[in-house]
Amino acid sequence: MDFKVIVADQSHAKFAQDICNEIYISAQERKTGIANRTPEYIIEKINAGKAVIALDSEGEFAGFSYIESWGHSQFVATSGLIVAHKYRNMGLARQIKRKTFDLARTLFPNAKLFSITTGLAVMKMNTELGYKPVTFSELTDDPEFWKGCEGCKNFDILKRNESERCLCSALLYDPAEHVEKKKVVVAFSGGLDTSYTVMYLAREKGYEVHAVCANTGGFSPEQLKTNEENAYKLGATKYVTLDVTREYYDKSLKYMVMGNVLRNGTYPISVSSERIFQGMAIARYAKEIGASAIAHGSTGAGNDQVRFDMTFLVMCPEMEIITLTRDGNLTRKEEVDYLNAGGFEADFTKLKYSYNVGIWGTSICGGEILDSREGLPESAYLKQVRKEGSEILSLEFEKGELCGVNGKRYTDKIAAIQAVEEIGAAYGIGRDMHVGDTIIGIKGRVGFEAAAPMLIIGAHKFLEKFTLSKWQQYWKDQVANWYGMFLHESQYMEPVMRDIEAMLESSQRNVNGTVTLKLQPYTFSTVGVDSEDDLLKSKLGEYGETQKGWTAEEAKGFIKVSSTPLRVYYGAHKDEKI
């Protein structure tokens, strides 16, 4: 629906009571007593040219907001934003907010605009307009403003803290700071390093910060919601979640299954392989918005700095790469102290272990892993063993891709992987330790739990033994080993990877069938295969039993011819002992 959003004039005073009614209802819904206004107050704002009204196509009231000034007009607040119930969730609030903001900037060009709110939607709208989080001490000290908080049910919290903080977040737009800002995209996980990066770049460097979370299946909806809320509190102008789980599967995971990729025969390259796709998604977003820089929170001691930097250098070489934690060699305490001083508090308690969770497994670092003599205790794993005894699991594949779990067909490959994970994790399957060489040259050790990868790869490899020729298996193993190594070494964009993928996909044309596995606590075994492409079902013979495709004399002739090179060699070197 089209709305007319304009500066209100005297002709709109007739809507004053409707506006007050909506404000009252909204206050009740938010369970606060704040923002109650009288029709006389609304009319006063309208007559003074300090209000914005939205009208529907029939000219009826659809939304409203007004301007209040404090401290001799040094501070201005756009207040009372309300949208009629029937027009909510249509983007009208953002239109009204923008119009009221522009009006305030016109009427009070030198004033600081501020807001206090607990609402995520309001925080998002304000930060998009250029507001940034501040402490209450940076707002107006006009007692008339704070008197307006007395109707809020949380006023006792404000009073106990001597008006220094409450449940509301404070945001401020200072026109003196709003010259042309450089845009920076921060690869935002919500952890300590990236939280520090967002606040520091917004406050100290004056960047327009875009916090971007590239989700490859490791974040829950609750975690993503918390990430969004915290990003705005930290000072981000914009927060977005980029869901690249599907791209990750289509462009890498399926090839890792086709290649039975296990680094050093052990590790399914779980979370580390996701970093490339997170980096590529972030780089694309940075180019779309015209960013001048990209930032990430990697330290100088790990592999992720290589994966992110290399991706950005290739995809957006014109952009600066900012790594505050790496460049400043910052300690955890330094970052926490800075965030707390900036009014941001979160649970950044240093745990014994650190975890990276993804669709293809969970990595575990710290604790006993740092001592080569020790292993991880049961308590270190996120998913505890819940099942005893054993059960049968059947996995169905079509052209090398998982398409069925226990008889249920899946067109959504991600859902199929998640189904296997849920079943296998209950037995503690897929737990192990990996020791290998890092990209930067030192040895690294990591614990992991990856039920789905280990079960799927185990079943797939078993099926290939029945359906591939000897040399298909041999050469596929050679290139798959390189594929896994290149993924780990941040060489996904190397053109040869596309050639390897083509070979892997071609090799899977006959990898079809159902594999039966037996699951038990901490382990599994392969049981059998049912496949139309089973090469074991040959009419030429049954191994160790009878031959049907050749005679006994033909077999003896084959053996004699096969021995010819050895008979030639040892005939010429009779003195060599065997």
Side-chain angles (χ1 to χ4, degrees), residues 376-381 383-391 423-432 448-451 454-455 518-525:
L376 286 173
E378 181 75 18
S379 59
Y381 294 96
K383 298 175 181 178
Q384 300 299 303
V385 178
R386 296 182 287 105
K387 287 188 177 182
E388 298 179 350
S390 65
E391 71 174 89
I423 295 169
Y427 285 99
I429 291 171
R431 295 179 176 183
D432 208 341
F448 64 90
E449 48 185 339
M454 302 309 288
L455 288 169
K518 183 179 181 180
L519 312 187
Q520 295 173 284
Y522 306 108
T523 189
F524 72 95
S525 57

Side-chain angles (χ1 to χ4, degrees), residues 261-273 303 307 362-366 368-372 374-376 381 430-439 442-450 454 481 484-485 488-489:
V261 173
L262 296 174
R263 183 162 173 79
N264 291 358
T266 304
Y267 179 49
I269 317 183
S270 299
V271 180
S272 56
S273 61
N303 289 322
R307 297 176 179 127
T362 297
S363 66
I364 308 169
C365 298
E368 293 81 1
I369 290 171
L370 302 175
D371 187 338
S372 300
E374 296 190 48
L376 286 173
Y381 294 96
R431 295 179 176 183
D432 208 341
M433 289 276 197
H434 169 60
V435 178
D437 297 285
T438 65
I439 303 172
I442 62 175
K443 290 285 185 183
R445 188 180 188 218
V446 63
F448 64 90
E449 48 185 339
M454 302 309 288
N481 182 55
M485 181 173 64
H488 179 269
E489 301 287 320

Side-chain angles (χ1 to χ4, degrees), residues 6-16 19 42 46 53 55 59:
I6 58 176
V7 177
D9 59 36
Q10 292 181 0
S11 67
H12 302 119
K14 61 184 179 182
F15 297 119
I19 293 168
I42 298 299
I46 290 175
I53 193 165
L55 304 173

Side-chain angles (χ1 to χ4, degrees), residues 525-546:
S525 57
T526 52
V527 176
V529 161
D530 182 12
S531 172
E532 293 295 324
D533 298 294
D534 183 358
L535 300 180
L536 196 63
K537 298 176 181 177
S538 171
K539 296 180 180 180
L540 298 179
E542 293 178 353
Y543 176 71
E545 300 295 331
T546 61

Side-chain angles (χ1 to χ4, degrees), residues 123-191:
M123 282 193 284
K124 288 175 66 175
M125 286 188 286
N126 281 337
T127 52
E128 287 171 4
L129 291 169
Y131 289 72
K132 70 176 185 180
V134 294
T135 59
F136 278 21
S137 63
E138 296 179 63
L139 305 182
T140 178
D141 58 1
D142 192 325
E144 286 300 311
F145 170 75
W146 297 104
K147 185 177 180 181
C149 292
E150 293 179 2
C152 177
K153 69 174 185 178
N154 300 317
F155 181 66
D156 62 318
I157 300 174
L158 181 67
K159 189 175 181 180
R160 287 200 308 271
N161 289 297
E162 298 179 346
S163 297
E164 291 182 357
R165 60 184 178 275
C166 190
L167 297 185
C168 283
S169 294
L171 299 108
L172 184 73
Y173 177 96
D174 187 345
E177 296 179 357
H178 283 267
V179 292
E180 185 71 24
K181 283 191 172 185
K182 292 183 178 180
K183 294 179 182 178
V184 61
V185 171
V186 176
F188 185 69
S189 67

